Amino acid sequence: MAIPDIARKTQGQALTKPAHLTHTTLSLTSSLHCAHSPRSHANALATMRRLHLAAVLVVFLPLAVSAAGTKEAAKAPAAPPAPPNITAAMAKGGCKAFAALVAASPDARSTFQSAGDGGVTAFCPSDDAVRSFMPRYKNLTADAKASLLLFHAVPVYYSQRSLKSNNGVMNTLATDGSANNFNFTVQNEGEQVTIKTDASDHAARLKSTVYDKDPIAIYALDTVLEPVELFEPAESPAPAPAPAPVADAPKAPKKTRHRPVADAPGPAAAADDTSPADQKKNSKKSASPAAPCLRWLAALPVAVAVAAALA
């Protein structure tokens, strides 16, 4: 009989009846003293060795199996740590006021925490920014408050480096189909990451990294993000007036060369220059007004004489 067969055959017996195994061994030992044949003596020794080997295997085999199982268990990788509590990380990083608002909203709190399992990037306004925004926040309904809070996170993990290379429009945790877009635009101004919404004239600036370990990233902002679905859109800036046409500079007057003008001739010179015929005409003109007077003077004596005669 082979040794393994003996081990299998005697394993159960050794575990359940150790006294029987001891009795068998003693019986075989006593039979060795009683046997007179060399062949019988050799067979008895071989049987005794097999039984001792079977007993050793029965005792040490379970220990070897247990040690192997412990070694395999030690080699198994440890389970990944659970993601951190997002609101606790926000509060620790300087966003206590915003974390308190999230914790006070059941919908926002559960959505933030469940999103951390698949990857999320949150943007939490600083305490000063939340404090100045509180009068407007208090006027919102419970659903609007939850939407505003969820508007500050996107369902994708972005490290700061990847955030700089993924400019453009992004959906948020508040996005719900085409009816409620609730998206914003990420832009870079040099090394500065900014977030622009249609309801605000000024872009929010990323101030610092609160937490960054895959699959969760949290960044602090200098202002509260305002979705256009909850607030009036910002007025478009008026176009700059067209520049007025530049008037031509007045040209300098051209310099003209004036010819010297001779002085006008005086009265004497004018008389000298007139021709003799003109002088004769002028004399007649000057004499003609006095001629009638001379004729009346000549007729006066005749009239007197006639008057005297008639008298």
Side-chain angles (χ1 to χ4, degrees):
M1 181 181 295
I3 294 177
D5 296 336
I6 295 175
R8 286 194 299 270
K9 183 177 180 181
T10 59
Q11 183 175 0
Q13 296 176 356
L15 291 175
T16 56
K17 299 178 180 181
H20 176 71
L21 179 61
T22 304
H23 178 72
T24 304
T25 304
L26 293 175
S27 300
L28 291 173
T29 304
S30 60
S31 64
L32 290 175
H33 296 284
C34 300
H36 302 285
S37 171
R39 185 175 181 180
S40 299
H41 179 70
N43 291 337
L45 290 176
T47 302
M48 187 175 180
R49 292 192 190 97
R50 295 189 188 98
L51 291 175
H52 284 180
L53 180 59
V56 170
L57 293 176
V58 168
V59 173
F60 290 102
L61 184 61
L63 296 177
V65 172
S66 177
T70 303
K71 188 175 181 180
E72 291 295 330
K75 291 181 179 180
N85 185 284
I86 294 181
T87 55
M90 288 180 180
K92 188 177 180 180
C95 299
K96 293 182 180 180
F98 186 80
L101 295 179
V102 174
S105 173
D107 292 341
R109 182 179 66 251
S110 60
T111 304
F112 264 101
Q113 201 59 39
S114 61
D117 297 335
V120 65
T121 301
F123 303 94
C124 60
S126 64
D127 291 343
D128 292 338
V130 173
R131 191 176 301 111
S132 62
F133 186 75
M134 281 305 296
R136 303 177 65 188
Y137 181 81
K138 291 178 179 179
N139 293 330
L140 299 175
T141 64
D143 290 341
K145 290 178 180 178
S147 297
L148 175 69
L149 298 174
L150 296 175
F151 185 65
H152 287 74
V154 296
V156 180
Y157 165 74
Y158 287 111
S159 65
Q160 188 169 359
R161 182 177 180 180
S162 62
L163 195 63
K164 291 181 179 180
S165 60
N166 285 274
N167 290 351
V169 178
M170 292 187 179
N171 292 334
T172 66
L173 293 181
T175 301
D176 185 14
S178 59
N180 296 317
N181 289 328
F182 282 99
N183 51 37
F184 53 64
T185 303
V186 176
Q187 297 174 336
N188 289 335
E189 297 178 2
E191 292 297 320
Q192 179 67 59
V193 178
T194 63
I195 299 177
K196 182 75 172 61
T197 70
D198 293 336
S200 177
D201 294 329
H202 305 286
R205 294 178 177 271
L206 193 148
K207 292 178 58 179
S208 61
T209 300
V210 175
Y211 183 89
D212 186 5
K213 188 175 181 181
D214 194 1
I216 296 175
I218 304 174
Y219 303 103
L221 298 178
D222 64 350
T223 187
V224 176
L225 300 177
E226 300 179 13
V228 73
E229 287 80 4
L230 300 179
F231 302 97
E232 293 294 331
E235 295 182 0
S236 302
V246 179
D248 296 334
K251 297 181 180 179
K254 295 182 179 180
K255 294 182 179 180
T256 56
R257 299 179 64 183
H258 298 282
R259 294 181 180 179
V261 180
D263 294 335
D272 295 341
D273 293 340
T274 55
S275 61
D278 293 336
Q279 291 178 0
K280 188 175 181 180
K281 289 180 180 179
N282 291 336
S283 62
K284 288 182 177 180
K285 289 180 180 180
S286 60
S288 58
C293 294
L294 293 176
R295 286 195 296 268
W296 281 103
L297 290 176
L300 183 60
V302 175
V304 171
V306 171
L310 291 176

